[in-house]
Amino acid sequence: MTMQFNEETFRGDYTFRNSPAAVRRFPFPFDRDSYAYSVNIEQHPGGPKGSPFEFAFDVDEHYVAEMKDREITLAEDPMRCQSLPHMELAGWDLLELIMVSKARDYPELFKLTRDGNAWHWINKPLGIDKKFTFLDPTTLPCGPMEYITRQAQGDFALLHEREGNLWLDAGMVTSQADWSLDFDVGMNFFEWHAPVPKARKMGVFDKALKFLLAVTQEQSYRRLNWTMTVNPRLDTSPENYHKWGPEKRTITPENVGAKQFLRVELQTFWRLPRSNALAFPIRCYLCNLEDIATQPKWGRRLHRVLRDIDPDLAEYKGFAVNQKMIVEYLSQYDDGAPTSPGIFPED
Amino acid sequence: MRKLALKVTEIETLSPLVKRFRFEDPKGGALPVFSGGAHITVEMPEGETIRRNSYSLISDPYDGSGYEIAVRREDRGRGGSRFMHTQVREGDEITVSSPANLFQLDLRARKHVLLAGGIGITPFLSQLRQLGMEQKPYELHYAARSREEAAGLKLLPEAAHIHIHISEEGARMDLGAILDGQPLGTHVYTCGPDGLIKAVADQASRLGWPRTAVHSEAFTAPPPGEPFEVVVKSSGKTVTVKADQSLLEALEAAKVEIDYSCRGGACGRCQTHVTACDGRILHNDHWLSEAERAEQKTIMPCMSRFKGARLELDL
Ligand code: HEM
Ligand code: FES
């Protein structure tokens, strides 16, 4: 298997594109024609060959471009990467988890050789060849969490467990759906989820926290979350709202299919061995409405979900202003035919 | 739940009542590393049924070449420790869970004070090594009745910050003296008899320590009790729980599928919905809140029992 990496941008001229293969493997998040918050958690990794669920950390055609975009964001705002001092061990755990997984799952792209704590890491797509001492921070150019997450797609949160709760004590966050690490760092599970409407009352967060605390290192899990983004922008942060917020107003009936993206987060949960911390990678996938509609089942279903969604959720997810145009556009792909259960396209 | 099929490679008698066991991968493969204070669950097949007990790991957490535990023989317990002492031989195969941790160090602490009573020394043996590797300041106090009974002596390094208190020799552990004057930001961890855990909590609160700096090992072995019956909703089957059996063990013996991890009422994995309850659930876990207990709509089968006419579980 050889992988082609796209030359593309996630800001400015927005040249991001999905190949037809990337569209077909897009993690469409709706398994039915309606949506409500739930504790939608299943085991990970595991899924059809070629799907983003197959491997622990999915690497796709956007890898190199996403890492360049992260570099730009970090250069402008170093506070997107923070780690409280007691989280360094968790950083090493995460580095090990990602290096071991990638070398195992993508041997043609990544290679890890270990002799005790003397490690040799080769990352071909990014042109990195590094020898270092595991657990010795002086042998890396930056902290272990920052080092490895500059080489892994998606955002990362590292949670410290104490007092029966999880605390967001470290993270690398540059492709987030409108939340801020700098604001949330040091908060607990209920504090950082406070802005989410309805879910707390439904008991979703109590159940989700209990589940997360019971995650052991033998078994990891995933869930999908989603929102809507105008233009293929990874950095939709509150810090930069002035840059992307106004772009919501550029949607017209003519361009909505190309400029309106469904943004899906593949969130996974891992108990880390040495620190007993929890790792929470949040991988972002983008697909515009035009591309979604190439899969007839997805076009029909997305129309129904967005037409019937609770107005509070449309408001919270930030697409209420364009909801009418989006639903109108998608209606042309909905002939009223029934849809099959599950998230995968029909052949 | 992922299981590891290992081989018993060493058994050592540490004291008249305590033995140390070492398990390794039969092919010499590396086992998952773990964090200080973690435990594994050991399977003990006895006739038709499998008994499972959780034991703290006492070996080096970052060393995947083997796992070690120390087991104290409890002749009045449910039989698991007796099995380990009398049935298990070097060379035997043994099935264990991968490690989980319900008693982790809080690495924010400026200093760690570890207080062990008797066999409660076990979780600290792996924590000591982790603290050593992380180069964190700590002191350990180990209290035992007599030198002969103090199985931990053979496993502890000699060091200035490791203190032994043998009550038979008149060297009782003085909690006030230990806790008073510790630097701000110190965390204290206790494992041992309930009385010790409570005494430490009281002393710490008298000295004005924040509650979040006071930790104790939460999980304990399921208590025996009177036999009782439960009904499994999906099949309508009645399962009898014997006096020396936990509800979880009885359900497993009846081939009812149920999830678990700690088997000590602390992890939440086995939580089961109650669909009918005419009687009183004897909640022995550390997981459910007071309100949840009072409602009697949910039970932790690894620890809790029942007294009454009918208990139906959503299984
Ligand atoms: C420990 C891991 C987790 C972290 C670090 C995390 C973090 C976050 C953050 C930062 C937000 C944005 C809140 C805001 O508006 O500022 C959020 C939203 C949300 N989270 Fe979590 N979360 C975690 C686990 C979970 C789990 C297990 C669930 C399961 C139900 C969940 C459900 C939600 C929901 C429903 C939202 C609203 C999302 C939307 O509608 O777009 N989270 N989470
Ligand atoms: S198995 Fe852990 S609470 Fe029951």
Side-chain angles (χ1 to χ4, degrees), chain B residues 75-103:
Chain B
D75 284 325
R76 281 177 311 154
R78 297 163 315 117
S81 64
R82 206 160 51 233
F83 178 93
M84 290 300 293
H85 273 254
T86 59
Q87 308 289 310
V88 178
R89 304 266 179 274
E90 285 181 5
D92 283 1
E93 281 174 12
I94 195 147
T95 303
V96 309
S97 70
S98 42
N101 198 342
L102 297 165
F103 191 46

Side-chain angles (χ1 to χ4, degrees), chain A residues 35 37-41 157 159 166 168 177-180 184 189 192-193 195-196 199 204-205 208-209 212 223 225-227 267 269 278 280 282 313 316-317:
Chain A
Y35 179 78
Y37 287 143
S38 67
V39 187
N40 52 331
I41 296 177
L159 296 310
L166 294 169
L168 215 175
D178 203 7
W179 66 280
S180 160
D184 285 0
F189 193 81
W192 80 66
H193 276 125
V196 181
V204 165
F205 288 133
L209 176 61
L212 292 178
R223 69 180 286 266
N225 186 45
W226 66 278
T227 188
Q267 309 175 338
F269 315 102
L278 204 76
F280 183 66
I282 310 156
L313 264 64
Y316 172 72
K317 288 174 186 284

Side-chain angles (χ1 to χ4, degrees), chain B residues 287-304:
Chain B
W287 179 259
L288 297 176
S289 65
E290 282 311 317
E292 286 171 315
R293 282 164 202 253
E295 275 180 9
Q296 303 216 102
K297 286 195 178 139
T298 180
I299 186 170
M300 312 305 292
C302 65
M303 289 295 280
S304 300

Side-chain angles (χ1 to χ4, degrees), chain B residues 134-149:
Chain B
E134 298 296 321
Q135 301 180 355
K136 303 279 186 211
Y138 73 87
E139 64 186 64
L140 174 119
H141 296 265
Y142 172 36
R145 216 163 306 151
S146 66
R147 250 170 223 282
E148 196 194 16
E149 273 183 37

Side-chain angles (χ1 to χ4, degrees), chain A residues 214, chain B residues 39 102 219 248 259-271 285-287 299-303:
Chain B
H39 66 270
L102 297 165
F219 83 94
L248 177 62
D259 197 13
Y260 68 86
S261 172
C262 69
R263 306 180 79 85
C267 76
R269 270 291 175 91
C270 68
Q271 185 166 351
D285 60 277
H286 311 269
W287 179 259
I299 186 170
M300 312 305 292
C302 65
M303 289 295 280

Side-chain angles (χ1 to χ4, degrees), chain A residues 278-299:
Chain A
L278 204 76
F280 183 66
I282 310 156
R283 171 68 188 277
C284 170
Y285 294 84
L286 294 162
C287 191
N288 65 15
L289 299 184
E290 263 167 27
D291 285 342
I292 295 271
T294 60
Q295 311 301 316
K297 169 178 164 181
W298 291 355

Side-chain angles (χ1 to χ4, degrees), chain B residues 262-281:
Chain B
C262 69
R263 306 180 79 85
C267 76
R269 270 291 175 91
C270 68
Q271 185 166 351
T272 300
H273 197 62
V274 170
T275 41
C277 175
D278 177 7
R280 197 157 59 86
I281 297 177

